[in-house]
Amino acid sequence: MVRFGVVGTNWITERLLEAAAHVKGFELTAVYSRTEDKANAFADQYNAKHRFTDLEEMAASDTFDAVYIATPNTYHADQTALFLRNGKHVLCEKPLAANAAEVSHVINTARDNNVLLMEAMKSTLAPTFKMVQAHLHKIGPVRKYIAGYCQYSSRYDKYKEGVVLNAFKPELANGALMDLGVYCLYPLITLFGAPNQVQAQAIMLDSGVDGQGSVLLGYEGMEAVVTYSKISNSHVPSEIMGERGSIIIDKIGSPEHAEIRYNDGTVELLTAEQTYPAMYYEVEEFVNLVQQGKQESELNSYERSYETMQVMDQIRKQIGLVFPND
């Protein structure tokens, strides 16, 4: 049994715990929140015995073996490093940190302390994505990758009324790229490695974050187009175009259905049965790695997290998106 603590008592932690309830070997034993009332309410809801309002005290506690961190992006690196130094395994919500220097720091901290660190990127561990990976060769040389994640934020209405919520605060290392763009870039780098060229543009909001953006990424013999937005919706699937056919993916951020459409008109379904909630597969991977004594996931690897963040750093530099962490 892997005993877990959670840092952050928000909707994403709730989604993770709902998924983790199906994972053999997962047990929630500790909860952190800044306020005692919230820590107690959340811990009561999920039957966690131990409650903390002090992170240092929590990190030093022996009441859990691993921690899931789901706080604002700006705190990811410092909090992750704190738990790693205390010998705890860390599953950190995407993005792993606010920039590549921080990603490098937490990776080195994990190695120095012989503990597991993994970025909680759900899409690349989804059964349908693994099917895409396994069948990618069938479409011949890949020439283009097109991925989009455009979702009108429920918090944008408040923003237009003059109330800036966390999602649109640069001081928390937020914005469209960090929240949604990463979902398009991480699978790209998983499948094809780091690009040779990056060209980005964005619509910046008055608060200082990007509301939406587009990126062209150049590879040897291939190009990628990535679009993301928190101020408009898109209903277009993502696509990987090869010389012999195309792979259509319903949702790049949470793939459930994929198919190959060959040049001759035939269609091959790549959809794998997904019995559990989307976040189940990242928790399952993480728990298995802890039980096997591994320090790194081969799928959501250190290199993948670092290369993705390097690309995101380049994008931010080009669009003028600056965080306190820089």
Side-chain angles (χ1 to χ4, degrees), residues 143-200:
R143 294 305 185 191
K144 187 170 278 197
Y145 168 101
I146 302 174
Y149 197 153
C150 302
Q151 185 174 295
Y152 186 91
S153 171
S154 57
R155 296 165 186 84
Y156 188 50
D157 289 334
K158 280 284 185 200
Y159 182 89
K160 288 189 285 187
E161 291 168 13
V163 181
V164 182
L165 299 173
N166 285 1
F168 295 104
K169 289 183 177 176
E171 60 268 33
L172 296 179
N174 278 338
L177 172 68
M178 300 298 274
D179 188 22
L180 302 180
V182 64
Y183 278 118
C184 302
L185 294 165
Y186 200 102
L188 169 68
I189 289 164
T190 298
L191 294 172
F192 304 106
N196 304 322
Q197 296 158 300
V198 177
Q199 285 175 276

Side-chain angles (χ1 to χ4, degrees), residues 136 139 141-147 184-185 187-189 191-199 215-227 238-243 246:
L136 188 62
I139 62 170
V142 174
R143 294 305 185 191
K144 187 170 278 197
Y145 168 101
I146 302 174
C184 302
L185 294 165
L188 169 68
I189 289 164
L191 294 172
F192 304 106
N196 304 322
Q197 296 158 300
V198 177
Q199 285 175 276
V215 193
L216 289 175
L217 304 105
Y219 287 82
E220 193 68 46
M222 183 195 118
E223 59 181 353
V225 183
V226 160
T227 61
S238 295
E239 186 172 12
I240 304 169
M241 297 152 65
E243 291 188 2
S246 281

Side-chain angles (χ1 to χ4, degrees), residues 93-108:
E93 193 45 62
K94 62 81 204 161
L96 186 53
N99 55 44
E102 287 189 341
V103 171
S104 182
H105 170 64
V106 293
I107 288 169
N108 290 333

Side-chain angles (χ1 to χ4, degrees), residues 71-76 94-95 97-98 155 164-180 204 207-211 230 312 316 319 321-325:
T71 50
N73 302 333
T74 195
Y75 306 124
H76 283 186
K94 62 81 204 161
R155 296 165 186 84
V164 182
L165 299 173
N166 285 1
F168 295 104
K169 289 183 177 176
E171 60 268 33
L172 296 179
N174 278 338
L177 172 68
M178 300 298 274
D179 188 22
L180 302 180
M204 303 300 290
S207 71
V209 301
D210 55 331
K230 288 179 75 70
M312 289 167 71
R316 286 202 298 115
I319 65 176
L321 177 55
V322 180
F323 298 143
N325 310 61

Side-chain angles (χ1 to χ4, degrees), residues 267-284:
V267 176
E268 180 183 355
L269 291 180
L270 298 182
T271 305
E273 188 181 355
Q274 187 169 308
T275 332
Y276 300 109
M279 295 178 83
Y280 167 89
Y281 303 95
E282 68 193 68
V283 182
E284 180 192 43

